[in-house]
Amino acid sequence: MTADVDSERPGERPDRAQEAVGHELFRDDWGIPHLRAADALALARAQGHATALDRAWQLETERHRVLGTSASHLGAEAVDWDRFVRRARIADTARRCFDRLAPETAAWVTAYVDGVNEGLAEGAERAPEFAAVGLAPGRWEPWTPLGVWLSTHILFAGFPTKLWREEVARRLGEDRMSLFATDGPGTAGSNGWLLTGARTATGAPIVAGDPHRFIEDPGVYQQIRLACPEFDVVGLAVPGIPGIAHFGHTGHVAWAITNAMADYQDLYREQVRRTPDGGVEVLGPAGWYRAHAHTETIEVAGAEPERVEVIETDRGPVIIGDGPGAGDETADAAPAADGTCISLRYPPRVTGELGFDALPALLRARTVADVDTALDRWVEPVNVVLAADTAGSTLHRVAGHVPVRPYANRLRVVPAEDPAYAWREGETVPLPRTEADGSDGIAVMANERGLAAPLGVEFAPPHRARRIRELLGADTGWTPDAQAAVHTDTRLASSRQLLSLLAWAPGLGPAAERLRERLLRWDRHMDADSTDATLYARLRTDVVHRLAAHPALNGVTGEDDPWRSTAHPALFRPWLAAVPRIGYALESLLTVGLLPYEDRLALVAASAEAVAAAAEETPPAPWGELHRLSPWQALPGVTPDKDAIRPGVAGDHDCVLSTSGVPGVTDLFARGPAARYVWDLARREDSRWVVPFGASGVPGSAHHRDQTSLWVRGELAPVVTDWNLLHRTKPHRTAHDRTPHHRTSHRPEENPAMTAAPEPVAPALRAAVHEQKIEGFGTVRLVPVDPAADAELLHGWVTEERARFWGMAGHTLEQVREIYEFVDSLPTHHACLALRDGVPAALFQTYEPDADPVGECYDVQPGDFGVHLLIAPAEGEGAVKGYTETLLTAFIAYVFSDPAHVRVVVEPDARNEKAIARMVRIGFELGPEIRKPEKTARLAFLTRAALGLGLA
């Protein structure tokens, strides 16, 4: 009889290659990878492999960024970064940190790297960027993920801001050093909040938020699911890093982070001199001593190679300036006349610890206490953390490594030779924590000067945190879907000071008066369709430029703008540019400290006149037409739909929807929500997530940009946790798949002649192709038939009188075994045992009609998929009411879980009236009778449309 259906993976039995590797790869309708493996090491390997398939170019880009070799294929524009990471010794630090990992963590990271290396070649074939630059993917080393983590986060603490403060103090006076204090151009902020059960509709906590980072294409976060017998976690991974570090949900506990805005990196001014033999000496607290120094060569595509001298002092590697007499080989920053350089001291370089031992512990967490313990091993970046578990427990703490040293170290560059500025060896600042389940049931983290205040200098303004708390406090029945209203809130509270000055600006002309009236009526929401928001942005820009031209800021603006100076590497110029600094600090600059009140009123009045005149001539367009996403790409122009990645979006720098342009410079934005998430502790399947682009980093893929429209509208995709609703992918064979082991240790190959045949595995212990829990019926699992192990069972079934239409009544046991060995050898035909609560209940076979004799008997359509079903005798029709129909319905759901399957084809014996009637009851449409060598059959077809599924 012909009837097939299952509910987990589309018509493929588990491929022997995937069984050998010990993992399966599924995807949901958004292409998001869901990985299932036999153990944590196999799962790490699977994660690396899947990431290489989806993000090969991104991984290659990150590897080059770690090594400082990006210029070798991207050209001169990448030299600044290459020089910095070589000087900062990122790769060497990663090696050191890897060597200090716990052995089990090192094995886990190595497994991930093995998976990356196995998948890169296939991933590179899909990615057009490799061909565009003539690049082949390079090999990852076990320490490469640690290098990716370091290079991604080395600028998170914003140490270049200390260079800006130095310039302000030198040019405007020591008392002006903190004049522009706010989160500056290089920092990345986030929103996060926790609602206790007292605030939710279900009575269970919700954790939600969105990390604000520079938005890259492909995205900096990867939606993923990692499942093995030890854990089953969904979350946002960082491509190139195993596990789920920042945002995860284990089914029992969920966590999220924001940047704590802590200061934990220091800059030291080093006195250096050249020795007669070409070495470098440095002045330390105990006098002059010889420092480490060597020279490296940076290859540059389309240009001559550049040499860079790498110097490391007892404080850390020199990142600015060269030793005296070094010449112009590193022309990006000339050495100071007195032979001074600036070194960078950062915790992983000092301690050899990066915190990776926390990552596998987070995956295994089942309670808030587990998350708390895991985060005790966290190093950097320093984060604020919120967590909640299904028991209702909550956590609100800071995690990371902040060294103990003088407060002056946080503010500016300090002298290396003075022992007063040394770190206190082995000591770290105690990390704050507080209750997350206070009287209002709300906890918020938005980079504000809150929990982490003792650890930093500059923080984000309080507007986002206050607004989130205000919104959440308005209801006590919050649901996961309702969190989108918080994610997308566009109220710009920081507009208050400028609008207040506008309200009192004297002597406005008619046009400026109309502008004032209009903006004072404005609801202060930076909505995409708002022309008032555009007018406000125009006014703000004009005010920023007038402030930049004001005599009070002479010395840091115009020709004296620090970003024009060659004293610092070009890489740090975004932190040294005056106009962006003024734009970000505008609210405070318009409040107190810089200009008298009358001067501020006059400046705003002049801006209102200018903006009003321009608006009379050119009416403002909606904000969304100007405020467009401008993501970073390593290789712009390769992707053909470049316009599609510049959508117009609502929001602004200080909105909860923090889509951050550069006030006074551009309305385009490169920083914004790099992902959004909602973790529901009542039902994980009600959780939500979205990223700016899609799960795939491959241009042209169906899942390259399919989430962009959701992201722009503020909507979220469902987190699918039912394996039956996922699509099992066909295996990607690698050389490793053909070996019998999947561990990360490199063992000698076994001699097949000396390897015993594997012991038969009982059906209940085999990996399932599909598993479905059916209320009132039990758990149905589909496992592949093992011809040798199952021959006796199958022979007993197919030779009974009740199975006469199966056509094998007279077959011997050996003949049955040979038939299923033949089926097992075919890539187009598969046989599975259906288990009900672990007991064999049916034989389920699938086939591709155009590769089967039935294909000669009718016009095969694209998407046709054939099935056969034989019910076991012990569980006959009378055992459970609707038994066969229940199994058949489950099998059909399995088949249609593959979007490539459009129509199920069955061809029961024409005399089997009972089976034909069953097909009709389920929804099959009868076709013609056909003649086959072994029988006359009746075709029947079941389409997606007949079940109301539509086309996938």
Side-chain angles (χ1 to χ4, degrees):
M1 154 180 166
T2 339
D4 154 25
V5 204
D6 160 90
S7 42
E8 191 143 294
R9 243 24 7 222
E12 292 279 348
R13 80 169 157 68
D15 186 90
R16 298 301 185 194
Q18 291 208 11
E19 286 184 346
V21 184
H23 77 267
E24 298 170 286
L25 171 60
F26 303 83
R27 295 188 187 273
D28 64 15
D29 289 344
W30 298 95
I32 296 168
H34 293 241
L35 297 160
R36 190 162 64 181
D39 57 45
L41 290 183
L43 186 59
R45 191 172 208 131
Q47 184 184 6
H49 189 269
T51 304
L53 295 180
D54 289 352
R55 306 289 187 98
W57 175 248
Q58 184 177 18
L59 292 183
E60 184 68 5
T61 297
E62 294 298 339
R63 188 182 69 86
H64 281 284
R65 284 174 62 81
V66 171
L67 296 174
T69 55
S70 299
S72 65
H73 59 280
L74 297 180
E77 66 179 25
V79 168
D80 295 332
W81 175 263
D82 285 355
R83 184 181 295 112
F84 167 67
V85 295
R86 288 172 185 248
R87 284 179 158 180
R89 310 204 71 183
I90 295 297
D92 186 69
T93 304
R95 293 186 191 97
R96 286 187 185 183
C97 293
F98 181 83
D99 289 343
R100 290 180 62 92
L101 289 176
E104 58 273 18
T105 305
W108 179 71
V109 175
T110 300
Y112 179 88
V113 169
D114 287 345
V116 168
N117 285 327
E118 288 162 3
L120 271 177
E122 183 177 350
E125 290 177 0
R126 304 177 181 185
E129 295 93 341
F130 286 91
V133 296
L135 191 66
R139 184 168 183 79
W140 278 46
E141 299 296 333
W143 51 265
T144 303
L146 286 79
V148 171
W149 190 261
L150 278 167
S151 67
T152 299
H153 297 107
I154 189 66
L155 296 175
F156 255 50
F159 68 80
T161 295
K162 297 177 184 183
L163 303 175
W164 165 256
R165 294 195 199 106
E166 285 288 325
E167 294 293 337
V168 172
R170 183 170 65 85
R171 297 161 184 251
L172 299 182
E174 293 283 336
D175 61 330
R176 297 289 198 182
M177 188 166 58
S178 60
L179 181 64
F180 302 88
T182 185
D183 61 332
T187 62
S190 303
N191 297 318
W193 57 91
L194 183 155
L195 293 161
T196 68
R199 285 278 174 183
T200 68
T202 63
I206 289 175
V207 178
D210 49 356
H212 300 151
R213 302 173 65 135
F214 281 104
I215 296 178
E216 301 178 13
D217 178 26
V220 296
Y221 283 114
Q222 172 192 30
Q223 299 150 298
I224 201 165
R225 182 183 186 181
L226 304 174
C228 68
E230 288 185 82
F231 51 80
D232 182 345
V233 188
V234 298
L236 300 169
V238 176
I241 310 298
I244 296 170
H246 287 158
F247 311 96
H249 193 329
T250 72
H252 308 280
V253 61
W255 69 92
I257 61 95
T258 60
N259 188 343
M261 310 299 284
D263 185 277
Y264 50 88
Q265 301 165 331
D266 285 349
L267 295 178
Y268 288 88
R269 182 172 289 103
E270 306 272 3
Q271 304 296 321
V272 298
R273 67 188 183 190
R274 187 75 60 183
T275 62
D277 62 357
V280 175
E281 289 186 340
V282 179
L283 181 62
W288 290 93
Y289 67 95
R290 193 177 184 95
H292 170 91
H294 71 272
T295 301
E296 298 181 10
T297 300
I298 300 174
E299 299 294 334
V300 184
E304 292 297 315
E306 296 199 19
R307 290 167 60 81
V308 57
E309 187 173 30
V310 178
I311 302 171
E312 185 163 14
T313 76
D314 287 350
R315 268 67 56 198
V318 169
I319 61 169
I320 299 174
D322 305 300
D328 59 0
E329 291 171 333
T330 52
D332 133 302
D338 59 356
T340 61
C341 300
I342 294 177
S343 64
L344 171 67
R345 188 169 180 83
Y346 57 104
R349 188 68 187 164
V350 175
T351 66
E353 300 286 350
L354 190 54
F356 264 44
D357 288 323
L359 301 184
L362 284 171
L363 295 177
R364 294 182 172 94
R366 300 178 70 86
T367 66
V368 157
D370 294 338
V371 171
D372 196 15
T373 300
L375 291 174
D376 286 341
R377 288 169 273 184
W378 193 268
V379 175
E380 72 166 49
V382 178
N383 293 322
V384 178
V385 183
L386 288 173
D389 61 29
T390 52
S393 299
T394 59
L395 175 70
H396 190 184
R397 64 165 290 184
V398 177
H401 180 113
V402 180
V404 176
R405 77 278 202 221
Y407 185 78
N409 291 43
R410 299 187 192 180
L411 293 175
R412 60 194 309 176
V413 183
V414 295
E417 68 275 13
D418 190 337
Y421 299 102
W423 289 11
R424 286 159 60 174
E425 187 173 353
E427 294 188 43
T428 59
V429 176
L431 299 176
R433 60 174 61 231
T434 188
E435 296 297 321
D437 53 356
S439 58
D440 62 354
I442 300 169
V444 178
M445 51 182 185
N447 321 113
E448 77 282 14
R449 188 180 297 275
L451 186 63
L455 308 178
V457 176
E458 298 186 16
F459 295 84
H463 306 304
R464 285 187 285 118
R466 289 173 179 170
R467 180 61 173 169
I468 291 169
R469 185 172 289 278
E470 176 188 351
L471 292 168
L472 296 175
D475 196 359
T476 56
W478 285 99
T479 65
D481 286 340
Q483 304 308 304
V486 183
H487 281 130
T488 58
D489 186 78
T490 61
R491 183 167 177 80
L492 187 66
S494 61
S495 64
R496 182 189 61 82
Q497 185 60 26
L498 176 53
L499 294 178
S500 176
L501 290 170
L502 177 64
W504 294 98
L508 296 184
E513 187 63 49
R514 288 192 294 272
L515 172 73
R516 171 160 60 188
E517 292 175 1
R518 181 172 176 179
L519 286 181
L520 293 181
R521 289 196 305 269
W522 173 47
D523 62 6
R524 303 188 187 183
H525 282 264
M526 300 296 285
D527 294 331
D529 60 356
S530 172
T531 55
D532 290 344
T534 302
L535 268 181
Y536 173 79
R538 286 184 181 180
L539 178 65
R540 178 177 61 187
T541 294
D542 195 89
V543 169
V544 167
H545 285 289
R546 290 179 188 275
L547 276 175
H550 197 280
L553 292 180
N554 285 351
V556 294
T557 56
E559 293 300 316
D560 294 324
D561 196 321
W563 80 269
R564 299 177 184 273
S565 170
T566 60
H568 302 303
L571 183 70
F572 302 140
R573 286 178 186 165
W575 285 266
L576 296 168
V579 172
R581 287 284 178 183
I582 295 169
Y584 287 122
L586 183 62
E587 183 181 16
S588 60
L589 291 175
L590 291 178
T591 304
V592 291
L594 179 63
L595 301 179
Y597 180 65
E598 291 75 12
D599 290 358
R600 283 178 269 150
L601 286 176
L603 187 146
V604 171
S607 290
E609 295 289 357
V611 171
E616 295 280 309
E617 185 174 329
T618 307
W623 177 233
E625 292 186 13
L626 306 175
H627 191 57
R628 293 183 174 274
L629 174 62
S630 182
W632 181 86
Q633 293 176 289
L635 202 63
V638 170
T639 305
D641 56 339
K642 58 182 183 297
D643 292 337
I645 61 174
R646 291 180 177 266
V649 181
D652 197 55
H653 183 65
D654 288 322
C655 299
V656 176
L657 179 53
S658 183
T659 49
S660 182
V662 184
V665 177
T666 179
D667 292 326
L668 298 176
F669 69 95
R671 275 202 299 161
R676 297 189 185 101
Y677 60 90
V678 179
W679 302 142
D680 185 10
L681 274 302
R683 286 168 41 90
R684 187 169 67 161
E685 58 267 36
D686 288 340
S687 298
R688 300 287 185 266
W689 54 8
V690 74
V691 292
F693 300 119
S696 174
V698 181
S701 162
H703 302 297
H704 187 212
R705 299 279 167 71
D706 59 339
Q707 294 187 51
T708 299
S709 60
L710 289 180
W711 181 82
V712 170
R713 296 193 302 268
E715 299 174 7
L716 298 100
V719 173
V720 179
T721 59
D722 185 348
W723 294 96
N724 303 316
L725 301 178
L726 303 174
H727 312 300
R728 184 176 184 274
T729 68
K730 293 185 178 180
H732 304 276
R733 297 192 65 87
T734 68
H736 176 80
D737 292 337
R738 295 187 287 274
T739 67
H741 58 277
H742 66 267
R743 298 288 182 177
T744 58
S745 58
H746 301 289
R747 304 180 299 183
E749 291 189 7
E750 297 173 344
N751 184 340
M754 300 176 63
T755 305
E759 290 291 326
V761 178
L765 300 179
R766 295 175 200 161
V769 178
H770 168 70
E771 185 171 317
Q772 181 176 359
K773 190 173 292 185
I774 302 173
E775 188 174 353
F777 186 81
T779 298
V780 177
R781 299 177 71 241
L782 285 179
V783 301
V785 165
D786 182 328
D790 300 335
E792 185 173 353
L793 173 70
L794 296 179
H795 180 259
W797 289 2
V798 301
T799 55
E800 283 204 352
E801 167 60 22
R802 63 186 303 280
R804 63 190 181 279
F805 295 121
W806 199 256
M808 297 171 66
H811 285 53
T812 66
L813 187 148
E814 182 63 20
Q815 287 173 325
V816 170
R817 182 184 63 78
E818 289 177 352
I819 287 172
Y820 283 99
E821 284 179 343
F822 174 71
V823 171
D824 189 49
S825 72
L826 298 174
T828 55
H829 291 59
H830 303 291
C832 288
L833 286 175
L835 311 180
R836 177 186 177 224
D837 293 332
V839 177
L843 173 62
F844 178 62
Q845 294 179 211
T846 69
Y847 63 93
E848 296 177 14
D850 57 2
D852 187 88
V854 74
E856 303 294 327
C857 303
Y858 85 103
D859 183 17
V860 178
Q861 300 296 312
D864 279 1
F865 196 69
V867 302
H868 301 286
L869 174 64
L870 175 65
I871 300 296
E875 294 282 7
E877 288 290 333
V880 174
K881 185 176 181 181
Y883 182 87
T884 301
E885 282 84 350
T886 300
L887 283 176
L888 186 55
T889 302
F891 298 155
I892 289 172
Y894 163 66
V895 173
F896 281 143
S897 68
D898 185 345
H901 299 158
V902 177
R903 184 169 68 162
V904 175
V905 180
V906 297
E907 26 100 9
D909 192 297
R911 297 168 295 169
N912 193 347
E913 296 178 356
K914 192 174 183 180
I916 293 172
R918 182 183 298 120
M919 297 300 107
V920 173
R921 286 199 301 272
I922 288 175
F924 279 80
E925 181 178 343
L926 295 180
E929 288 190 355
I930 58 173
R931 293 192 177 276
K932 299 180 66 181
E934 75 280 9
K935 67 179 179 182
T936 297
R938 184 68 181 267
L939 285 173
F941 306 96
L942 180 66
T943 64
R944 285 179 173 275
L947 295 179
L949 299 178
L951 294 177

